[in-house]
């Protein structure tokens, strides 16, 4: 039976050694807690790190760990202490985590840590590849494993791979500062579907893909080599019923009352008016903990009537304490809590109850159910599940959630009191509003929040992800239906060999050579000359290069060659070294159109005009892709009226708009060429929109091949110029 392999840095269980015994605890953090229920239900395997290093394990302990892990459908990836230092505490949490959360000042770029990151991603790949069987699906999670999708795809191209990022994807302006940005993006693009919590993260990612990799993005689909990679947002939910039911159980008079609950009850019973404000996070600088404490101090000063009436219960879960920034944060938090408690405490009241520990699930429920307000105010957070868990436990639909706008969860929790965590005023007024909110309003808000969380729970989230992943696979089938495989290639070669009279008609840019920023740099290389010469030496074979390039350029490149050339999209033809015009063209229109193009060049950095004998081309390959998209639309509109009056046409090439007389195109030239002789083998290859005219003009017997995997009239598709050359080599 096919299985789903979940891969994340941390397994849902963490193992440590205490007095020579293995001690197993559940992992904290949104990824592990959220995915746990997805994993529990499915037929799957979870691959990840156990929390223990290779050095801590002798052979017997390792066996024991493997068995414990296997019991819960997991498989361990062995990491050494050095891996933990360099990959986990290093690159993952000193580079990627701060950078992706916009903490540039905390971000370190260390070559040795990058090397470790690559090495450890490879270790994960090896374990995954070891367990993959045909038909399995791999679902990779989070920023520690950004290179893993491509590492797996390289070895197992047929395997379906999903990737989900649990943290924000930063804006291009931040991401571009990262020294290994291309590698990270291409690593992620190994997946068939890439998921984010919010649309903002999705569009930031797409923007980086467009600008850094210069790939074509069509809405949320990226054409990447011979695949379509789909990008979408799926806001992660929680196991709603688990939290809701636990809260109902908590309220059951037969349930035993925990020590923590007794303490809370004592506080609440002191005076009917007392309120608890809850804050729960991993102790992480992204969570805005010091700011929250200061804002609470500000609130108490601004509204002294709440002194002795409210208490902030702050649970900070120890996290990544091997990273210096986290140690500093711990110190800062301890000092702040101490100072404020010192400043405000009375005989019967301390304003902040501070716990620095991980609590069992039951105690989390005690806190969630007992708190009148949840104050969740990260400065930047991918999603934030704590906010959702609080809502799920409010079985009486009372309580108020104050939530930072900077948490991904804020996008779907509009009924919370949303605040900017950098504004103490926002804090103070939201706290005041929450403390005085009528019960009816609390109910109304909670009801809507709960309805959504219950419907779009973690199971639904995973289902939606898998459904989209499946649909993406179907998309690949359409894309690759015309793809040239080995047997088709052999058939073409066979037909070529058998034929008595052959025509090979080849476009140049994007077909025989790849694109360069400047068209003048895309000159033919020695290998290409050699290959084309070989065609010339074949009997009964006519080779013709057909291009939008101008006559002068081709004459310069192929002056001493004897094969045929068609230039300027079909204006000129060179046969047996003789140039003749295929069309008689006017050029007066150029004086009117050129100034218009010039204004577009002035306003669109990275673009330029190429002046040919019979056409004008506006190139925008190196312009900002989004600006270029707007400008091409504008230019098309401006040109529409002029074009009709001057019998011109506007061609949309590959990152170029070309204006030329409407009675020329490569299709007309192809027809003229075909009329001259009868062929029993015709091969036509081209990559862009202008080449579609050739495919249309080709007779049925022709083998027409499009370079690239986009919609085409050609019969077949091939990946890139490299593959074109391989096919041509095989022919000769
Ligand atoms: P992050 O993923 O950044 O840690 P989230 O809010 O998304 O933040 O997820 C935190 C998860 O950790 C929640 O599922 C929460 O229940 C759990 N958690 C938080 N505090 C504790 C704690 N003290 N003990 C155990 N689990 C905790
Ligand atoms: C966040 C990350 C997870 C990570 C968790 C706990 O939720 O998105 O990938 O596992 O924090 O952090 P840790 O470093 O302890 O794994």
């Amino acid at each position: 039976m096919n299985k789903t392999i979940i891969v994340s840095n941390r397994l849902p269980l963490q193992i440590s050694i205490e007095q020579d015994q293995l001690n197993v605890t559940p992992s904290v953090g949104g990824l592990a807690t959220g995915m746990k229920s997805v994993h529990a239900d499915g037929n799957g395997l979870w691959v990840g790190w156990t929390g223990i290093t290779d050095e801590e394990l002798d052979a017997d302990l390792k066996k024991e760990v493997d068995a414990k892990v296997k019991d819960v459908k997991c498989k361990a990836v062995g990491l050494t202490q050095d891996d933990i230092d360099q990959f986990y505490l290093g690159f993952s949490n000193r580079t990627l985590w701060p950078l992706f959360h916009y903490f540039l000042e905390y971000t370190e770029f260390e070559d040795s840590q990058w090397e470790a990151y690559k090495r450890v991603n490879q270790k994960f790949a090896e374990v995954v590849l070891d367990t993959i069987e045909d038909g399995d699906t791999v679902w990779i999670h989070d920023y520690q494993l950004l290179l893993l999708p491509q590492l797996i795809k390289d070895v197992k191209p047929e395997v379906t791979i999903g990737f989900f990022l649990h943290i924000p994807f930063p804006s291009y302006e931040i991401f571009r500062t990262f020294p290994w940005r291309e590698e990270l993006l291409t690593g992620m693009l190994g997946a068939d579907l890439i998921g984010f919590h919010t649309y903002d993260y999705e569009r930031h990612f797409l923007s980086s893909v467009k600008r850094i990799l210069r790939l074509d993005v069509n809405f949320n689909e990226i054409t990447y080599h011979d695949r379509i990679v789909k990008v979408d947002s799926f806001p992660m939910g929680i196991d709603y019923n688990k939290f809701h039911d636990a809260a109902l159980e908590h309220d059951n008079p037969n349930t035993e009352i925990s020590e923590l609950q007794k303490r809370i009850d004592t506080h609440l019973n002191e005076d009917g008016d007392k309120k608890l404000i809850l804050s729960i996070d991993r102790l992480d600088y992204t969570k805005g903990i010091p700011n929250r404490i200061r804002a609470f101090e500000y609130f108490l000063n601004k509204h002294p009537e709440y002194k002795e009436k409210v208490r902030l219960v702050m649970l900070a879960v120890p996290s990544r304490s091997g990273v210096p920034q986290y140690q500093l944060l711990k110190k800062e938090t301890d000092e702040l809590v101490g100072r404020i408690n010192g400043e405000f405490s009375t005989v019967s009241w301390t304003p902040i109850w501070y716990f620095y520990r991980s609590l069992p699930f039951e105690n989390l429920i005690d806190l969630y159910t007992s708190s009148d307000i949840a104050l969740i105010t990260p400065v930047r957070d991918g999603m934030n599940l704590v906010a959702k868990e609080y809502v799920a436990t409010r079985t009486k639909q009372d309580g108020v959630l104050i939530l930072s706008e900077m948490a991904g969860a804020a996008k779907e929790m509009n009924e919370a009191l949303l605040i900017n965590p950098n504004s103490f005023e926002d804090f103070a007024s939201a706290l005041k509003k929450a403390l005085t909110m009528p019960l009816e309003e609390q109910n109304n808000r909670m009801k809507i929040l709960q309805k959504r969380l219950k419907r779009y729970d973690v199971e639904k989230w995973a289902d939606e992800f898998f459904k989209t992943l499946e649909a993406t696979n179907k998309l690949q089938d359409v894309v690759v239906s015309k793809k040239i495989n080995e047997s088709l290639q052999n058939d073409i070669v066979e037909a070529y060999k058998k034929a008595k009279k052959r025509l090979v008609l080849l476009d140049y840019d994007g077909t025989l050579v790849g694109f360069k920023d400047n068209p003048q740099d895309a000159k033919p290389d020695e290998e290409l000359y050699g290959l084309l010469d070989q065609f010339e030496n074949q009997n009964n074979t006519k080779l013709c290069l057909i291009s939008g390039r101008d006559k002068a350029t081709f004459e310069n490149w192929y002056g001493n060659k004897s094969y045929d050339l068609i230039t300027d999209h079909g204006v000129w033809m060179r046969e047996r070294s003789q140039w003749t015009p295929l069309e008689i063209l006017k050029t007066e229109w150029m004086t009117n159109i050129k100034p218009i193009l010039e204004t577009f060049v002035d306003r669109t950095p990275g673009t330029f005009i190429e002046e040919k004998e019979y056409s004008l081309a506006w190139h925008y390959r190196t312009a900002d892709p989004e600006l270029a998209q707007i400008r091409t639309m504008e230019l098309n509109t401006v040109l529409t009226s002029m074009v009709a009056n001057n019998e011109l046409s506007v061609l949309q090439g590959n990152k170029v708009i070309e204006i030329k007389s409407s009675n020329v195109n490569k299709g007309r030239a192809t027809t003229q060429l075909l009329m001259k002789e009868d062929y029993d083998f015709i091969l036509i290859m081209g990559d862009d929109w202008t080449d579609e005219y050739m495919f249309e003009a080709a007779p049925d017997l022709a083998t027409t091949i499009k370079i690239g995997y986009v919609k085409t009239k050609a019969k077949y598709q091939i990946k890139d110029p490299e593959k074109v050359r391989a096919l041509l080599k095989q022919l000769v």
Side-chain angles (χ1 to χ4, degrees), residues 110-170:
E110 283 285 340
D111 279 326
S112 58
Q113 295 183 0
W114 166 242
E115 290 306 319
Y117 187 77
K118 290 195 283 186
R119 182 182 75 226
V120 174
N121 270 255
Q122 187 61 45
K123 278 192 179 182
F124 274 80
E126 275 151 28
V127 177
V128 175
L129 288 167
D130 206 35
T131 66
I132 288 187
E133 289 157 316
D134 285 347
D136 286 353
T137 300
V138 182
W139 192 4
I140 300 164
H141 293 265
D142 231 358
Y143 65 100
Q144 303 90 345
L145 301 175
L146 295 173
L147 302 177
L148 187 57
Q150 191 60 49
L151 292 175
I152 296 177
K153 200 53 124 191
D154 280 344
V155 185
K156 291 258 175 196
E158 305 305 330
V159 163
T160 305
I161 304 175
F163 178 85
F164 193 86
L165 187 71
H166 290 258
I167 65 173
F169 194 93

Side-chain angles (χ1 to χ4, degrees), residues 214 509 513-523 608 621-622:
R214 305 239 190 104
D509 292 282
V513 294
F515 287 101
K516 294 276 177 356
D517 286 349
N518 188 328
Q520 294 314 322
D521 296 336
K523 292 192 180 83
F608 62 92
R621 180 163 303 278
T622 60

Side-chain angles (χ1 to χ4, degrees), residues 8-10 14 27-32 49 88 93 97 101 141-144 165-167 282 284 287 318-320 326 381:
S8 67
N9 176 48
R10 231 177 239 291
Q14 289 303 288
S27 301
V28 287
L31 192 175
W49 178 53
Y88 170 67
N93 289 313
W97 180 270
H101 286 88
H141 293 265
D142 231 358
Y143 65 100
Q144 303 90 345
L165 187 71
H166 290 258
I167 65 173
R282 272 181 313 101
D284 195 300
K287 304 287 183 181
S319 183
R320 305 174 197 164
Y326 289 74
D381 202 337

Side-chain angles (χ1 to χ4, degrees), residues 8 109 240 267 282 311 354 382 433 616 658 662:
S8 67
F109 300 121
Y240 183 89
H267 163 77
R282 272 181 313 101
R311 174 169 280 164
Y354 171 50
K433 183 165 179 186
L616 289 174
E658 188 153 356
S662 44

Side-chain angles (χ1 to χ4, degrees), residues 119 246 286 296 355 389 534 658 685 688:
R119 182 182 75 226
T286 60
F296 185 57
F355 302 87
E389 292 168 2
Q534 273 179 285
E658 188 153 356
M685 299 211 246
D688 76 17

Side-chain angles (χ1 to χ4, degrees), residues 28-31 33 97 243 280 282 287 315 317 357-359 364 368 381 384-386 389:
V28 287
L31 192 175
T33 53
W97 180 270
F243 284 90
I280 299 188
R282 272 181 313 101
K287 304 287 183 181
L315 176 59
V317 188
R357 70 183 80 136
S358 189
L359 289 183
L364 275 186
Y368 284 143
D381 202 337
N384 198 295
L385 297 182
V386 167
E389 292 168 2

Side-chain angles (χ1 to χ4, degrees), residues 79-98:
L79 298 185
T80 63
Q81 187 56 50
D82 186 54
D83 291 338
I84 294 309
D85 292 342
Q86 303 272 337
F87 154 78
Y88 170 67
L89 295 172
F91 202 77
S92 297
N93 289 313
R94 288 197 211 189
T95 307
L96 294 175
W97 180 270

